[in-house]
Amino acid sequence: MNNTLYLIAVIAVIAIVTWALRAFPFLLFGNRPLPKTIQYLGRVLPPAIMTVLVIYCLRSTNIVEFPYGIPELVACALIVILQIIRKNMYLSIIAGTACYMILIRVI
């Protein structure tokens, strides 16, 4: 019984902190326009974060041994092509992941 109360308390604290973090910007800015700095960060951070994630994911790709990074390159190319054509982030990520998982098993 003690363990159950502890788990409920942990989940409650996590839920409250998550709600507070999401509500904080609305409470801070309200109906006022966003400061220029926040607008700038909102514009440049998503591409910067995606670039860092791509570099992080591809950092251990070995291009001098078989399969020479082919699965990674094909999956990345598919993601870029789908993003340009369809502009659907979820489709690009799911298709790129599926393509990569198939290629690492086949090659």
Side-chain angles (χ1 to χ4, degrees), residues 36-86:
K36 297 283 186 199
T37 305
I38 302 297
Q39 290 177 5
Y40 171 75
L41 290 175
R43 192 174 61 252
V44 299
L45 279 182
I49 291 169
M50 291 305 293
T51 303
V52 169
L53 286 173
V54 168
I55 292 169
Y56 178 79
C57 290
L58 297 177
R59 76 187 188 289
S60 60
T61 302
N62 191 350
I63 59 172
V64 294
E65 291 180 16
F66 185 80
Y68 309 108
I70 292 171
E72 291 87 349
L73 291 174
V74 170
C76 287
L78 177 64
I79 290 169
V80 169
I81 291 167
L82 283 174
Q83 192 60 34
I84 290 170
I85 294 172
R86 299 296 301 265

mmCIF file of all heavy atoms in Angstrom, residues 36-86:
data_model
loop_
_atom_site.group_PDB
_atom_site.id
_atom_site.type_symbol
_atom_site.label_atom_id
_atom_site.label_comp_id
_atom_site.label_asym_id
_atom_site.label_seq_id
_atom_site.Cartn_x
_atom_site.Cartn_y
_atom_site.Cartn_z
ATOM 1 N N LYS A 36 11.199 40.420 -28.984
ATOM 2 C CA LYS A 36 11.951 40.112 -30.216
ATOM 3 C C LYS A 36 12.898 38.932 -30.008
ATOM 4 O O LYS A 36 13.078 38.112 -30.900
ATOM 5 C CB LYS A 36 12.736 41.342 -30.688
ATOM 6 C CG LYS A 36 11.866 42.514 -31.064
ATOM 7 C CD LYS A 36 11.249 42.285 -32.405
ATOM 8 C CE LYS A 36 10.511 43.558 -32.812
ATOM 9 N NZ LYS A 36 9.552 43.308 -33.838
ATOM 10 N N THR A 37 13.507 38.850 -28.830
ATOM 11 C CA THR A 37 14.443 37.758 -28.553
ATOM 12 C C THR A 37 13.739 36.406 -28.604
ATOM 13 O O THR A 37 14.257 35.452 -29.190
ATOM 14 C CB THR A 37 15.083 37.943 -27.161
ATOM 15 O OG1 THR A 37 15.670 39.226 -27.092
ATOM 16 C CG2 THR A 37 16.125 36.887 -26.892
ATOM 17 N N ILE A 38 12.557 36.318 -28.026
ATOM 18 C CA ILE A 38 11.805 35.060 -28.029
ATOM 19 C C ILE A 38 11.357 34.717 -29.448
ATOM 20 O O ILE A 38 11.400 33.553 -29.860
ATOM 21 C CB ILE A 38 10.592 35.150 -27.082
ATOM 22 C CG1 ILE A 38 11.032 35.478 -25.655
ATOM 23 C CG2 ILE A 38 9.775 33.871 -27.115
ATOM 24 C CD1 ILE A 38 11.902 34.436 -25.009
ATOM 25 N N GLN A 39 10.946 35.720 -30.216
ATOM 26 C CA GLN A 39 10.566 35.475 -31.609
ATOM 27 C C GLN A 39 11.757 34.959 -32.401
ATOM 28 O O GLN A 39 11.631 34.025 -33.202
ATOM 29 C CB GLN A 39 10.030 36.755 -32.242
ATOM 30 C CG GLN A 39 8.687 37.174 -31.709
ATOM 31 C CD GLN A 39 8.217 38.486 -32.322
ATOM 32 O OE1 GLN A 39 8.856 39.045 -33.213
ATOM 33 N NE2 GLN A 39 7.090 38.980 -31.832
ATOM 34 N N TYR A 40 12.927 35.562 -32.179
ATOM 35 C CA TYR A 40 14.147 35.126 -32.871
ATOM 36 C C TYR A 40 14.476 33.680 -32.505
ATOM 37 O O TYR A 40 14.763 32.857 -33.379
ATOM 38 C CB TYR A 40 15.302 36.056 -32.508
ATOM 39 C CG TYR A 40 16.640 35.563 -32.999
ATOM 40 C CD1 TYR A 40 16.975 35.668 -34.342
ATOM 41 C CD2 TYR A 40 17.554 34.987 -32.129
ATOM 42 C CE1 TYR A 40 18.195 35.208 -34.803
ATOM 43 C CE2 TYR A 40 18.772 34.529 -32.577
ATOM 44 C CZ TYR A 40 19.089 34.633 -33.919
ATOM 45 O OH TYR A 40 20.292 34.176 -34.364
ATOM 46 N N LEU A 41 14.447 33.359 -31.205
ATOM 47 C CA LEU A 41 14.750 31.991 -30.776
ATOM 48 C C LEU A 41 13.746 30.991 -31.334
ATOM 49 O O LEU A 41 14.113 29.882 -31.719
ATOM 50 C CB LEU A 41 14.777 31.919 -29.248
ATOM 51 C CG LEU A 41 15.955 32.629 -28.565
ATOM 52 C CD1 LEU A 41 15.795 32.589 -27.057
ATOM 53 C CD2 LEU A 41 17.274 32.027 -28.984
ATOM 54 N N GLY A 42 12.485 31.381 -31.399
ATOM 55 C CA GLY A 42 11.471 30.503 -31.963
ATOM 56 C C GLY A 42 11.683 30.244 -33.440
ATOM 57 O O GLY A 42 11.279 29.211 -33.969
ATOM 58 N N ARG A 43 12.338 31.175 -34.122
ATOM 59 C CA ARG A 43 12.593 31.027 -35.551
ATOM 60 C C ARG A 43 13.862 30.220 -35.823
ATOM 61 O O ARG A 43 13.908 29.420 -36.747
ATOM 62 C CB ARG A 43 12.687 32.419 -36.193
ATOM 63 C CG ARG A 43 12.674 32.406 -37.692
ATOM 64 C CD ARG A 43 12.615 33.814 -38.292
ATOM 65 N NE ARG A 43 13.766 34.625 -37.920
ATOM 66 C CZ ARG A 43 13.723 35.647 -37.052
ATOM 67 N NH1 ARG A 43 12.602 35.988 -36.464
ATOM 68 N NH2 ARG A 43 14.807 36.341 -36.766
ATOM 69 N N VAL A 44 14.918 30.411 -35.023
ATOM 70 C CA VAL A 44 16.204 29.773 -35.344
ATOM 71 C C VAL A 44 16.477 28.477 -34.586
ATOM 72 O O VAL A 44 17.254 27.656 -35.055
ATOM 73 C CB VAL A 44 17.389 30.745 -35.117
ATOM 74 C CG1 VAL A 44 17.261 31.964 -35.997
ATOM 75 C CG2 VAL A 44 17.545 31.125 -33.671
ATOM 76 N N LEU A 45 15.864 28.268 -33.435
ATOM 77 C CA LEU A 45 16.174 27.066 -32.666
ATOM 78 C C LEU A 45 15.695 25.758 -33.294
ATOM 79 O O LEU A 45 16.440 24.775 -33.270
ATOM 80 C CB LEU A 45 15.652 27.191 -31.235
ATOM 81 C CG LEU A 45 16.539 27.987 -30.294
ATOM 82 C CD1 LEU A 45 15.944 28.013 -28.892
ATOM 83 C CD2 LEU A 45 17.950 27.452 -30.248
ATOM 84 N N PRO A 46 14.485 25.682 -33.858
ATOM 85 C CA PRO A 46 14.092 24.387 -34.440
ATOM 86 C C PRO A 46 15.053 23.863 -35.506
ATOM 87 O O PRO A 46 15.465 22.698 -35.431
ATOM 88 C CB PRO A 46 12.690 24.666 -34.994
ATOM 89 C CG PRO A 46 12.155 25.744 -34.111
ATOM 90 C CD PRO A 46 13.342 26.619 -33.818
ATOM 91 N N PRO A 47 15.462 24.682 -36.505
ATOM 92 C CA PRO A 47 16.437 24.142 -37.463
ATOM 93 C C PRO A 47 17.788 23.825 -36.820
ATOM 94 O O PRO A 47 18.432 22.836 -37.189
ATOM 95 C CB PRO A 47 16.601 25.259 -38.505
ATOM 96 C CG PRO A 47 15.461 26.180 -38.306
ATOM 97 C CD PRO A 47 14.995 26.005 -36.906
ATOM 98 N N ALA A 48 18.199 24.615 -35.844
ATOM 99 C CA ALA A 48 19.477 24.359 -35.177
ATOM 100 C C ALA A 48 19.431 23.046 -34.398
ATOM 101 O O ALA A 48 20.374 22.249 -34.446
ATOM 102 C CB ALA A 48 19.826 25.516 -34.243
ATOM 103 N N ILE A 49 18.330 22.808 -33.704
ATOM 104 C CA ILE A 49 18.190 21.563 -32.940
ATOM 105 C C ILE A 49 18.146 20.362 -33.878
ATOM 106 O O ILE A 49 18.769 19.327 -33.608
ATOM 107 C CB ILE A 49 16.939 21.631 -32.044
ATOM 108 C CG1 ILE A 49 17.157 22.654 -30.925
ATOM 109 C CG2 ILE A 49 16.604 20.269 -31.461
ATOM 110 C CD1 ILE A 49 15.914 23.001 -30.140
ATOM 111 N N MET A 50 17.424 20.476 -34.993
ATOM 112 C CA MET A 50 17.365 19.373 -35.951
ATOM 113 C C MET A 50 18.750 19.088 -36.543
ATOM 114 O O MET A 50 19.121 17.933 -36.728
ATOM 115 C CB MET A 50 16.361 19.680 -37.069
ATOM 116 C CG MET A 50 14.922 19.677 -36.606
ATOM 117 S SD MET A 50 14.425 18.149 -35.796
ATOM 118 C CE MET A 50 14.508 17.011 -37.140
ATOM 119 N N THR A 51 19.514 20.136 -36.829
ATOM 120 C CA THR A 51 20.867 19.954 -37.352
ATOM 121 C C THR A 51 21.743 19.217 -36.352
ATOM 122 O O THR A 51 22.461 18.279 -36.715
ATOM 123 C CB THR A 51 21.486 21.320 -37.702
ATOM 124 O OG1 THR A 51 20.645 21.987 -38.637
ATOM 125 C CG2 THR A 51 22.883 21.165 -38.272
ATOM 126 N N VAL A 52 21.673 19.611 -35.093
ATOM 127 C CA VAL A 52 22.458 18.940 -34.055
ATOM 128 C C VAL A 52 22.036 17.478 -33.926
ATOM 129 O O VAL A 52 22.884 16.586 -33.791
ATOM 130 C CB VAL A 52 22.314 19.682 -32.707
ATOM 131 C CG1 VAL A 52 22.893 18.870 -31.571
ATOM 132 C CG2 VAL A 52 22.993 21.038 -32.774
ATOM 133 N N LEU A 53 20.734 17.202 -33.987
ATOM 134 C CA LEU A 53 20.264 15.819 -33.898
ATOM 135 C C LEU A 53 20.737 14.965 -35.069
ATOM 136 O O LEU A 53 21.129 13.814 -34.885
ATOM 137 C CB LEU A 53 18.735 15.788 -33.812
ATOM 138 C CG LEU A 53 18.139 16.208 -32.476
ATOM 139 C CD1 LEU A 53 16.628 16.309 -32.583
ATOM 140 C CD2 LEU A 53 18.537 15.254 -31.373
ATOM 141 N N VAL A 54 20.721 15.532 -36.270
ATOM 142 C CA VAL A 54 21.200 14.788 -37.446
ATOM 143 C C VAL A 54 22.687 14.492 -37.302
ATOM 144 O O VAL A 54 23.137 13.363 -37.530
ATOM 145 C CB VAL A 54 20.908 15.570 -38.749
ATOM 146 C CG1 VAL A 54 21.643 14.949 -39.929
ATOM 147 C CG2 VAL A 54 19.417 15.609 -39.010
ATOM 148 N N ILE A 55 23.464 15.485 -36.908
ATOM 149 C CA ILE A 55 24.904 15.277 -36.715
ATOM 150 C C ILE A 55 25.148 14.230 -35.631
ATOM 151 O O ILE A 55 25.992 13.342 -35.785
ATOM 152 C CB ILE A 55 25.606 16.607 -36.394
ATOM 153 C CG1 ILE A 55 25.570 17.514 -37.617
ATOM 154 C CG2 ILE A 55 27.033 16.380 -35.920
ATOM 155 C CD1 ILE A 55 25.996 18.943 -37.344
ATOM 156 N N TYR A 56 24.400 14.315 -34.548
ATOM 157 C CA TYR A 56 24.545 13.351 -33.459
ATOM 158 C C TYR A 56 24.226 11.935 -33.935
ATOM 159 O O TYR A 56 24.929 10.977 -33.596
ATOM 160 C CB TYR A 56 23.640 13.749 -32.292
ATOM 161 C CG TYR A 56 23.693 12.793 -31.138
ATOM 162 C CD1 TYR A 56 24.750 12.820 -30.236
ATOM 163 C CD2 TYR A 56 22.696 11.853 -30.939
ATOM 164 C CE1 TYR A 56 24.816 11.942 -29.172
ATOM 165 C CE2 TYR A 56 22.739 10.973 -29.878
ATOM 166 C CZ TYR A 56 23.801 11.020 -28.998
ATOM 167 O OH TYR A 56 23.862 10.144 -27.950
ATOM 168 N N CYS A 57 23.166 11.796 -34.718
ATOM 169 C CA CYS A 57 22.780 10.468 -35.193
ATOM 170 C C CYS A 57 23.762 9.893 -36.209
ATOM 171 O O CYS A 57 23.947 8.679 -36.287
ATOM 172 C CB CYS A 57 21.387 10.517 -35.804
ATOM 173 S SG CYS A 57 20.090 10.770 -34.585
ATOM 174 N N LEU A 58 24.366 10.746 -37.004
ATOM 175 C CA LEU A 58 25.272 10.272 -38.059
ATOM 176 C C LEU A 58 26.739 10.241 -37.630
ATOM 177 O O LEU A 58 27.595 9.856 -38.416
ATOM 178 C CB LEU A 58 25.119 11.154 -39.302
ATOM 179 C CG LEU A 58 23.746 11.132 -39.968
ATOM 180 C CD1 LEU A 58 23.713 12.098 -41.135
ATOM 181 C CD2 LEU A 58 23.380 9.729 -40.404
ATOM 182 N N ARG A 59 27.035 10.607 -36.395
ATOM 183 C CA ARG A 59 28.423 10.733 -35.953
ATOM 184 C C ARG A 59 29.193 9.418 -35.994
ATOM 185 O O ARG A 59 30.390 9.404 -36.195
ATOM 186 C CB ARG A 59 28.483 11.330 -34.552
ATOM 187 C CG ARG A 59 28.119 10.353 -33.468
ATOM 188 C CD ARG A 59 28.009 11.005 -32.104
ATOM 189 N NE ARG A 59 27.842 10.045 -31.060
ATOM 190 C CZ ARG A 59 26.769 9.322 -30.831
ATOM 191 N NH1 ARG A 59 25.728 9.447 -31.613
ATOM 192 N NH2 ARG A 59 26.717 8.464 -29.838
ATOM 193 N N SER A 60 28.526 8.309 -35.802
ATOM 194 C CA SER A 60 29.233 7.030 -35.762
ATOM 195 C C SER A 60 29.086 6.243 -37.062
ATOM 196 O O SER A 60 29.382 5.051 -37.095
ATOM 197 C CB SER A 60 28.720 6.197 -34.582
ATOM 198 O OG SER A 60 27.341 5.954 -34.723
ATOM 199 N N THR A 61 28.656 6.908 -38.117
ATOM 200 C CA THR A 61 28.527 6.228 -39.406
ATOM 201 C C THR A 61 29.911 5.950 -39.969
ATOM 202 O O THR A 61 30.731 6.852 -40.108
ATOM 203 C CB THR A 61 27.721 7.097 -40.393
ATOM 204 O OG1 THR A 61 26.444 7.353 -39.831
ATOM 205 C CG2 THR A 61 27.564 6.409 -41.724
ATOM 206 N N ASN A 62 30.164 4.692 -40.283
ATOM 207 C CA ASN A 62 31.465 4.292 -40.825
ATOM 208 C C ASN A 62 31.353 4.245 -42.346
ATOM 209 O O ASN A 62 30.710 3.351 -42.907
ATOM 210 C CB ASN A 62 31.864 2.933 -40.257
ATOM 211 C CG ASN A 62 33.299 2.598 -40.573
ATOM 212 O OD1 ASN A 62 33.951 3.283 -41.356
ATOM 213 N ND2 ASN A 62 33.790 1.548 -39.959
ATOM 214 N N ILE A 63 32.017 5.193 -43.010
ATOM 215 C CA ILE A 63 31.905 5.268 -44.469
ATOM 216 C C ILE A 63 33.047 4.547 -45.180
ATOM 217 O O ILE A 63 33.091 4.535 -46.408
ATOM 218 C CB ILE A 63 31.821 6.726 -44.954
ATOM 219 C CG1 ILE A 63 33.054 7.510 -44.523
ATOM 220 C CG2 ILE A 63 30.552 7.384 -44.453
ATOM 221 C CD1 ILE A 63 33.139 8.893 -45.109
ATOM 222 N N VAL A 64 33.965 3.927 -44.425
ATOM 223 C CA VAL A 64 35.085 3.224 -45.062
ATOM 224 C C VAL A 64 34.918 1.707 -45.035
ATOM 225 O O VAL A 64 35.707 0.994 -45.633
ATOM 226 C CB VAL A 64 36.434 3.619 -44.418
ATOM 227 C CG1 VAL A 64 36.747 5.074 -44.679
ATOM 228 C CG2 VAL A 64 36.445 3.316 -42.932
ATOM 229 N N GLU A 65 33.914 1.213 -44.331
ATOM 230 C CA GLU A 65 33.653 -0.219 -44.293
ATOM 231 C C GLU A 65 32.224 -0.488 -44.767
ATOM 232 O O GLU A 65 31.358 0.369 -44.646
ATOM 233 C CB GLU A 65 33.811 -0.760 -42.866
ATOM 234 C CG GLU A 65 35.238 -0.750 -42.373
ATOM 235 C CD GLU A 65 35.356 -1.300 -40.954
ATOM 236 O OE1 GLU A 65 34.402 -1.950 -40.477
ATOM 237 O OE2 GLU A 65 36.389 -1.073 -40.335
ATOM 238 N N PHE A 66 32.020 -1.709 -45.296
ATOM 239 C CA PHE A 66 30.690 -2.079 -45.759
ATOM 240 C C PHE A 66 29.695 -1.910 -44.630
ATOM 241 O O PHE A 66 29.983 -2.286 -43.512
ATOM 242 C CB PHE A 66 30.701 -3.540 -46.258
ATOM 243 C CG PHE A 66 29.399 -3.963 -46.850
ATOM 244 C CD1 PHE A 66 29.085 -3.603 -48.140
ATOM 245 C CD2 PHE A 66 28.487 -4.689 -46.108
ATOM 246 C CE1 PHE A 66 27.874 -3.980 -48.698
ATOM 247 C CE2 PHE A 66 27.279 -5.067 -46.649
ATOM 248 C CZ PHE A 66 26.970 -4.714 -47.939
ATOM 249 N N PRO A 67 28.564 -1.347 -44.854
ATOM 250 C CA PRO A 67 27.875 -0.921 -46.066
ATOM 251 C C PRO A 67 28.141 0.534 -46.452
ATOM 252 O O PRO A 67 27.338 1.131 -47.171
ATOM 253 C CB PRO A 67 26.408 -1.172 -45.753
ATOM 254 C CG PRO A 67 26.302 -0.911 -44.298
ATOM 255 C CD PRO A 67 27.614 -1.360 -43.717
ATOM 256 N N TYR A 68 29.222 1.119 -45.992
ATOM 257 C CA TYR A 68 29.680 2.443 -46.409
ATOM 258 C C TYR A 68 28.690 3.571 -46.107
ATOM 259 O O TYR A 68 28.650 4.575 -46.802
ATOM 260 C CB TYR A 68 30.035 2.466 -47.899
ATOM 261 C CG TYR A 68 30.978 1.366 -48.296
ATOM 262 C CD1 TYR A 68 30.531 0.286 -49.051
ATOM 263 C CD2 TYR A 68 32.300 1.391 -47.892
ATOM 264 C CE1 TYR A 68 31.394 -0.746 -49.399
ATOM 265 C CE2 TYR A 68 33.177 0.371 -48.229
ATOM 266 C CZ TYR A 68 32.718 -0.700 -48.980
ATOM 267 O OH TYR A 68 33.575 -1.714 -49.321
ATOM 268 N N GLY A 69 27.869 3.402 -45.109
ATOM 269 C CA GLY A 69 26.911 4.434 -44.734
ATOM 270 C C GLY A 69 25.739 4.567 -45.681
ATOM 271 O O GLY A 69 25.006 5.559 -45.632
ATOM 272 N N ILE A 70 25.541 3.562 -46.525
ATOM 273 C CA ILE A 70 24.446 3.616 -47.509
ATOM 274 C C ILE A 70 23.070 3.688 -46.836
ATOM 275 O O ILE A 70 22.247 4.513 -47.232
ATOM 276 C CB ILE A 70 24.545 2.441 -48.499
ATOM 277 C CG1 ILE A 70 25.785 2.628 -49.374
ATOM 278 C CG2 ILE A 70 23.289 2.329 -49.347
ATOM 279 C CD1 ILE A 70 26.118 1.444 -50.244
ATOM 280 N N PRO A 71 22.789 2.865 -45.811
ATOM 281 C CA PRO A 71 21.461 2.973 -45.188
ATOM 282 C C PRO A 71 21.177 4.375 -44.625
ATOM 283 O O PRO A 71 20.086 4.910 -44.792
ATOM 284 C CB PRO A 71 21.498 1.933 -44.061
ATOM 285 C CG PRO A 71 22.524 0.954 -44.480
ATOM 286 C CD PRO A 71 23.548 1.745 -45.244
ATOM 287 N N GLU A 72 22.184 4.964 -43.997
ATOM 288 C CA GLU A 72 22.011 6.295 -43.422
ATOM 289 C C GLU A 72 21.783 7.346 -44.505
ATOM 290 O O GLU A 72 20.894 8.197 -44.384
ATOM 291 C CB GLU A 72 23.236 6.678 -42.576
ATOM 292 C CG GLU A 72 23.382 5.880 -41.305
ATOM 293 C CD GLU A 72 24.152 4.583 -41.476
ATOM 294 O OE1 GLU A 72 24.406 4.175 -42.636
ATOM 295 O OE2 GLU A 72 24.482 3.966 -40.455
ATOM 296 N N LEU A 73 22.591 7.269 -45.568
ATOM 297 C CA LEU A 73 22.462 8.261 -46.639
ATOM 298 C C LEU A 73 21.132 8.130 -47.379
ATOM 299 O O LEU A 73 20.489 9.147 -47.681
ATOM 300 C CB LEU A 73 23.625 8.127 -47.620
ATOM 301 C CG LEU A 73 24.996 8.529 -47.076
ATOM 302 C CD1 LEU A 73 26.082 8.209 -48.088
ATOM 303 C CD2 LEU A 73 25.009 9.998 -46.727
ATOM 304 N N VAL A 74 20.706 6.901 -47.652
ATOM 305 C CA VAL A 74 19.433 6.703 -48.356
ATOM 306 C C VAL A 74 18.269 7.179 -47.486
ATOM 307 O O VAL A 74 17.355 7.858 -47.966
ATOM 308 C CB VAL A 74 19.260 5.220 -48.764
ATOM 309 C CG1 VAL A 74 17.864 4.951 -49.279
ATOM 310 C CG2 VAL A 74 20.301 4.835 -49.798
ATOM 311 N N ALA A 75 18.301 6.842 -46.191
ATOM 312 C CA ALA A 75 17.227 7.266 -45.293
ATOM 313 C C ALA A 75 17.194 8.789 -45.176
ATOM 314 O O ALA A 75 16.115 9.395 -45.206
ATOM 315 C CB ALA A 75 17.402 6.624 -43.925
ATOM 316 N N CYS A 76 18.350 9.421 -45.060
ATOM 317 C CA CYS A 76 18.398 10.893 -44.987
ATOM 318 C C CYS A 76 17.891 11.526 -46.276
ATOM 319 O O CYS A 76 17.154 12.519 -46.239
ATOM 320 C CB CYS A 76 19.822 11.371 -44.690
ATOM 321 S SG CYS A 76 20.341 11.088 -42.996
ATOM 322 N N ALA A 77 18.275 10.961 -47.401
ATOM 323 C CA ALA A 77 17.799 11.493 -48.691
ATOM 324 C C ALA A 77 16.284 11.346 -48.806
ATOM 325 O O ALA A 77 15.601 12.279 -49.254
ATOM 326 C CB ALA A 77 18.492 10.763 -49.837
ATOM 327 N N LEU A 78 15.744 10.213 -48.374
ATOM 328 C CA LEU A 78 14.300 10.016 -48.405
ATOM 329 C C LEU A 78 13.590 11.043 -47.524
ATOM 330 O O LEU A 78 12.569 11.625 -47.926
ATOM 331 C CB LEU A 78 13.939 8.602 -47.948
ATOM 332 C CG LEU A 78 12.447 8.294 -47.866
ATOM 333 C CD1 LEU A 78 11.800 8.370 -49.252
ATOM 334 C CD2 LEU A 78 12.225 6.945 -47.225
ATOM 335 N N ILE A 79 14.126 11.290 -46.346
ATOM 336 C CA ILE A 79 13.525 12.276 -45.443
ATOM 337 C C ILE A 79 13.518 13.657 -46.073
ATOM 338 O O ILE A 79 12.505 14.365 -46.047
ATOM 339 C CB ILE A 79 14.271 12.285 -44.091
ATOM 340 C CG1 ILE A 79 13.987 10.990 -43.341
ATOM 341 C CG2 ILE A 79 13.866 13.491 -43.257
ATOM 342 C CD1 ILE A 79 14.862 10.780 -42.133
ATOM 343 N N VAL A 80 14.641 14.048 -46.666
ATOM 344 C CA VAL A 80 14.728 15.376 -47.285
ATOM 345 C C VAL A 80 13.747 15.486 -48.458
ATOM 346 O O VAL A 80 13.018 16.476 -48.583
ATOM 347 C CB VAL A 80 16.175 15.669 -47.744
ATOM 348 C CG1 VAL A 80 16.241 16.897 -48.619
ATOM 349 C CG2 VAL A 80 17.088 15.817 -46.530
ATOM 350 N N ILE A 81 13.701 14.450 -49.292
ATOM 351 C CA ILE A 81 12.798 14.473 -50.459
ATOM 352 C C ILE A 81 11.341 14.542 -50.014
ATOM 353 O O ILE A 81 10.565 15.352 -50.527
ATOM 354 C CB ILE A 81 13.056 13.249 -51.357
ATOM 355 C CG1 ILE A 81 14.419 13.375 -52.037
ATOM 356 C CG2 ILE A 81 11.950 13.082 -52.384
ATOM 357 C CD1 ILE A 81 14.909 12.097 -52.694
ATOM 358 N N LEU A 82 10.969 13.700 -49.050
ATOM 359 C CA LEU A 82 9.583 13.717 -48.575
ATOM 360 C C LEU A 82 9.236 15.057 -47.920
ATOM 361 O O LEU A 82 8.120 15.557 -48.085
ATOM 362 C CB LEU A 82 9.336 12.583 -47.583
ATOM 363 C CG LEU A 82 9.169 11.204 -48.183
ATOM 364 C CD1 LEU A 82 9.078 10.148 -47.088
ATOM 365 C CD2 LEU A 82 7.946 11.152 -49.066
ATOM 366 N N GLN A 83 10.180 15.627 -47.209
ATOM 367 C CA GLN A 83 9.915 16.909 -46.550
ATOM 368 C C GLN A 83 9.726 18.013 -47.579
ATOM 369 O O GLN A 83 8.865 18.869 -47.416
ATOM 370 C CB GLN A 83 11.046 17.258 -45.577
ATOM 371 C CG GLN A 83 10.732 18.386 -44.662
ATOM 372 C CD GLN A 83 9.523 18.144 -43.774
ATOM 373 O OE1 GLN A 83 9.251 17.037 -43.358
ATOM 374 N NE2 GLN A 83 8.790 19.190 -43.487
ATOM 375 N N ILE A 84 10.509 17.980 -48.643
ATOM 376 C CA ILE A 84 10.369 18.993 -49.700
ATOM 377 C C ILE A 84 9.044 18.816 -50.440
ATOM 378 O O ILE A 84 8.333 19.788 -50.700
ATOM 379 C CB ILE A 84 11.557 18.919 -50.681
ATOM 380 C CG1 ILE A 84 12.829 19.423 -49.985
ATOM 381 C CG2 ILE A 84 11.275 19.732 -51.940
ATOM 382 C CD1 ILE A 84 14.096 19.182 -50.777
ATOM 383 N N ILE A 85 8.700 17.560 -50.755
ATOM 384 C CA ILE A 85 7.497 17.301 -51.550
ATOM 385 C C ILE A 85 6.226 17.423 -50.712
ATOM 386 O O ILE A 85 5.288 18.124 -51.091
ATOM 387 C CB ILE A 85 7.575 15.905 -52.205
ATOM 388 C CG1 ILE A 85 8.699 15.879 -53.233
ATOM 389 C CG2 ILE A 85 6.253 15.530 -52.856
ATOM 390 C CD1 ILE A 85 8.982 14.501 -53.787
ATOM 391 N N ARG A 86 6.170 16.727 -49.585
ATOM 392 C CA ARG A 86 4.924 16.632 -48.816
ATOM 393 C C ARG A 86 4.838 17.636 -47.660
ATOM 394 O O ARG A 86 3.752 17.889 -47.165
ATOM 395 C CB ARG A 86 4.763 15.223 -48.256
ATOM 396 C CG ARG A 86 4.685 14.124 -49.310
ATOM 397 C CD ARG A 86 3.479 14.224 -50.218
ATOM 398 N NE ARG A 86 2.234 14.166 -49.518
ATOM 399 C CZ ARG A 86 1.508 13.089 -49.330
ATOM 400 N NH1 ARG A 86 1.907 11.940 -49.820
ATOM 401 N NH2 ARG A 86 0.374 13.137 -48.669
#
